[in-house]
């Protein structure tokens, strides 16, 4: 099983460029989310979705957009990249369940550097 | 709001025990524990749902005190493979927040 697939694995951008980080899962999970991981900061939630057509903001949403047109895909868009967005980005998915009683499955991450 | 983990780092010898703590200022429905090896994705260890519940995974177990809004992860007779960064995640249904992590190093 592929699980959660993120592309690309590495990317270097210049300040002001835009790009989309791709995330796809083949487990038919309703819930998907994006985190960024910076040294000493743990995983911080950017955006999440509880199903197709539904998205919501996490704790650090500024500078990022998301959409959820299908159950499988949850792309993350950087509209105008800034050096502060240099980070490792993880996509995760899980089945929905009362009170978050389902484990999250993480992709392998995208390492993004913005110059 | 992110949960608070302590300690930030632990260094152990093989066979020693460790405890990692996770606390939240908000009421908790559940606590998740994950382990991340360097350069890899976080991997699920266990979920605790009920107050006072304890669960186990190999020689790793955890407790959840709902009233105190705290969870603890217990690693007994540590092995080299236990090295990594441990994260707790807390959730109010859909919005899961993670602690800053505890870096565990097990030496021979």
């Amino acid at each position: 099983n592929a699980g959660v697939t993120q592309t690309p694995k590495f990317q270097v951008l210049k300040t002001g460029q835009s790009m989309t980080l791709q995330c796809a899962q083949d487990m038919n999970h309703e819930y998907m989310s994006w985190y960024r991981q910076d040294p000493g900061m743990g995983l911080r939630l950017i955006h999440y979705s509880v199903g197709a057509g539904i998205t919501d903001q996490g704790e650090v949403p500024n500078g990022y957009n998301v959409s959820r047109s299908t159950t499988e895909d949850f792309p993350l868009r950087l509209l105008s990249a800034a050096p502060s967005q240099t980070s490792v980005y993880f996509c995760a998915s899980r089945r929905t369940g009362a009170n978050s009683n389902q484990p999250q499955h993480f992709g392998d991450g995208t390492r993004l550097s913005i110059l | 709001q992110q949960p608070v983990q302590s300690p930030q780092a632990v260094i152990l010898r093989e066979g020693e025990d460790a405890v990692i703590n996770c606390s939240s200022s908000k009421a908790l429905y559940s606590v998740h524990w994950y382990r991340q090896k360097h350069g890899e994705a976080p991997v699920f260890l266990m979920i605790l749902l009920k107050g006072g519940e304890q669960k186990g995974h190999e020689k790793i177990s955890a407790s959840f005190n709902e009233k105190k809004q705290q969870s603890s992860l217990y690693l007994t007779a540590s092995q080299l493979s236990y090295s990594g960064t441990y994260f707790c995640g807390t959730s109010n249904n859909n919005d899961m927040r993670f602690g800053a992590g505890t870096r565990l190093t097990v030496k021979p």
Side-chain angles (χ1 to χ4, degrees), chain B residues 31-81:
Chain B
V31 178
H32 293 216
W33 285 97
Y34 294 80
R35 178 171 62 204
Q36 185 180 32
K37 302 278 188 176
H38 183 69
E40 298 180 6
V43 174
F44 170 75
L45 291 176
M46 63 190 77
I47 295 173
L48 298 105
L49 298 175
K50 299 178 182 178
E53 181 181 8
Q54 282 195 300
K55 299 193 80 172
H57 174 80
E58 300 173 345
K59 291 185 179 178
I60 301 173
S61 61
S63 62
F64 177 26
N65 188 319
E66 190 178 331
K67 195 171 182 180
K68 291 185 178 180
Q69 297 165 193
Q70 293 176 345
S71 177
S72 294
L73 188 71
Y74 307 95
L75 300 99
T76 57
S78 59
Q79 306 168 15
L80 294 175
S81 62

Side-chain angles (χ1 to χ4, degrees), chain A residues 31 35 37 40-45 48 50 58-59 90 94 97-104 106-108 111, chain B residues 1-2 29-30 32 34 36 39-44 47 49 87 91-101:
Chain A
Y31 181 94
Y35 292 88
Q37 186 173 35
M41 300 289 289
L43 295 151
R44 290 186 291 169
L45 182 65
Y48 64 95
V50 298
E59 55 189 309
F90 286 100
R94 63 172 173 83
N99 301 328
S100 300
N101 61 354
Q102 299 294 325
Q104 295 216 74
F106 286 86
D108 289 336
R111 284 147 185 82
Chain B
Q1 192 170 359
Q2 285 183 299
Y29 292 114
S30 65
H32 293 216
Y34 294 80
Q36 185 180 32
E40 298 180 6
V43 174
F44 170 75
I47 295 173
L49 298 175
F87 294 98
S91 175
N92 289 324
N93 209 14
N94 288 323
D95 186 348
M96 173 153 287
R97 307 291 176 98
F98 287 90

Side-chain angles (χ1 to χ4, degrees), chain A residues 19-73:
Chain A
M19 83 158 294
T20 300
L21 308 185
Q22 302 292 345
C23 176
Q25 52 92 8
D26 62 358
M27 297 173 282
N28 203 30
H29 287 169
E30 301 91 345
Y31 181 94
M32 296 184 74
S33 56
W34 277 101
Y35 292 88
R36 60 176 290 175
Q37 186 173 35
D38 304 297
M41 300 289 289
L43 295 151
R44 290 186 291 169
L45 182 65
I46 305 172
H47 286 285
Y48 64 95
S49 168
V50 298
I54 305 169
T55 63
D56 208 342
Q57 295 181 349
E59 55 189 309
V60 288
N62 293 339
Y64 307 95
N65 276 359
V66 291
S67 60
R68 184 95 180 269
S69 56
T70 66
T71 299
E72 295 78 18
D73 300 300

